[in-house]
Amino acid sequence: MAPVTPVAPVTSVTPVTVVGLDAAGAPPHPALAPALAAAGLVVGAARHLAAVPVPPGATTVALGPLAPAVHRLAAAVADGVPAVVLASGDPGLFGILRRLRAAGLPLRVVPAVSSVAAAFARAGLPWDGAAVVTAHGRDPRPALNACRALPLVAVLTAPGAGAGELGAGLAGWSRRLVVAEHLGTDAERVREVTPEQAAAGTWSDPHVLLSIATADTADTADTADAGPDAARAAGRMRSDNQPAAAPVGGWALPESRYAHRASMITKSEVRALVIARLRPRLGRLVWDIGAGSGSVGIECALLGAAVIAVEQEPGAGETIRANAAAHAVDVRLVVGRAPAALAGLPEPDAVFVGGGGADVLAAVTARRPDRVVLTLAALDRVAPAVGLLRAAGYTVEGSQLSAARLADLPGGSIRLAATNPVVVLTGERP
């Protein structure tokens, strides 16, 4: 006899009904009217409470700090009083649902169209594969770095972390921004702007920002809706619909996967350790200094990080662009000699120093990234580099890597062909 799958026990506890109000302006879900009619407690933002027919006998709680509202809801559940929570769009998308579940409340959820879905719809863009992040109530830098790294990102904004601030942070990246204000209301406005225009503009809250990669960096006037640049950028998205997942093709790729000049490329065995030490991921910004072929920065971008590659040779810069395009990642290229070329760049979370002397390393540590990784072939440079990192307050560890690769011999034999030994140093800020 087949085993019986256990099911959750039936409970008589009345769940809190969480109803999303459509961000696109559509009428409320039919389930809202009977839920409100039976409700003894209705919780929501002031604008939501004003938008629905709250029954005269129901107690209302306008959301400000969330803890008092959660306490009132828990008391209502304990007393068997039906309660309704009004939310924006889909309550499960960076919404109130997470906090209510964390409080252990029994819930019935009726979602509506989210503000993110409404913004993409207003812009006429597909959004499968887009990253959705929030800058609301938290450090906005991870959201900004997601916009720097990925081709299509929706950001739920907040006062002080909106289109103006994100636009200023995207200066130097090839992006178009769609700003959708007051969705679903008479004051709705959707405009496509450049990062510079966003930084200089004044925006109403609440609004949603869409960040869209584009090769066109020319300024355009504000328009009533998203233009053809946005549509073309959306069509160039990665097809695996996993913008921040580990790359399908892996990392620490063979040198043959990159164009490079005279074997001037970080070997795959070394690159594997370097990438592990840099810890690239969505929300982090990595500098690749002395980028050469760009292989280290490109693989950090494949793992979701925003990347700036600094290279003094214009010819190598063209190689980096070609390699980044071949791997379908966005790497910002700065052509110039470090350390001067580092001035004005946004603050990194991790830095790989693949070229340059002590002056470059000193300039990097002065910016105080969390991690600094460098590779050295000359042993006489190891001790000074360790000393410089320690003097800057970093703890240092290092390894010497010496790989030997299989190589065929005539007659079917196999030998080991040694690659040049390299010292990998990692400085970590406590």
Side-chain angles (χ1 to χ4, degrees), residues 182-227:
H182 293 297
L183 285 164
T185 72
D186 293 339
E188 179 177 299
R189 182 173 66 166
V190 180
R191 293 186 291 170
E192 181 182 335
V193 295
T194 64
E196 293 76 14
Q197 289 167 338
T202 300
W203 307 98
S204 301
D205 291 308
H207 64 269
V208 176
L209 179 138
L210 308 182
S211 173
I212 304 154
T214 172
D216 181 9
T217 57
D219 287 347
T220 60
D222 291 358
T223 58
D225 54 10

Side-chain angles (χ1 to χ4, degrees), residues 162-382:
E165 293 78 12
L166 294 170
L170 287 170
W173 272 264
S174 297
R175 294 293 184 272
R176 289 286 186 220
L177 306 180
V178 175
V179 185
E181 302 167 275
H182 293 297
L183 285 164
T185 72
D186 293 339
E188 179 177 299
R189 182 173 66 166
V190 180
R191 293 186 291 170
E192 181 182 335
V193 295
T194 64
E196 293 76 14
Q197 289 167 338
T202 300
W203 307 98
S204 301
D205 291 308
H207 64 269
V208 176
L209 179 138
L210 308 182
S211 173
I212 304 154
T214 172
D216 181 9
T217 57
D219 287 347
T220 60
D222 291 358
T223 58
D225 54 10
D229 284 333
R232 285 196 297 268
R236 291 197 301 267
M237 288 174 54
R238 284 174 50 174
S239 60
D240 58 15
N241 288 340
Q242 298 292 328
V248 174
W251 58 95
L253 301 173
E255 294 88 81
S256 58
R257 296 286 300 277
Y258 298 94
H260 54 88
R261 178 172 54 87
S263 295
M264 298 295 291
I265 181 172
T266 303
K267 300 300 187 289
S268 60
E269 294 88 348
V270 175
R271 200 180 325 123
L273 180 60
V274 167
I275 299 295
R277 294 290 186 258
L278 290 170
R279 297 180 182 171
R281 64 180 185 274
L282 183 62
R284 291 173 65 84
L285 175 62
V286 177
W287 288 359
D288 181 1
I289 302 175
S293 68
S295 62
V296 170
I298 286 167
E299 294 191 3
C300 287
L302 284 170
L303 289 162
V307 176
I308 297 176
V310 180
E311 175 54 51
Q312 65 177 340
E313 296 291 338
E318 293 303 316
T319 300
I320 293 169
R321 287 193 180 96
N323 283 330
H327 290 275
V329 294
D330 187 9
V331 171
R332 177 181 170 188
L333 175 64
V334 175
V335 178
R337 185 179 182 87
L342 308 180
L345 295 183
E347 301 303 323
D349 296 294
V351 178
F352 173 59
V353 182
D359 58 339
V360 174
L361 185 57
V364 167
T365 58
R367 302 292 285 270
R368 307 297 291 161
D370 292 338
R371 300 176 73 79
V372 180
V373 181
L374 62 155
T375 53
L376 299 169
L379 291 179
D380 58 346
R381 296 179 59 192
V382 173

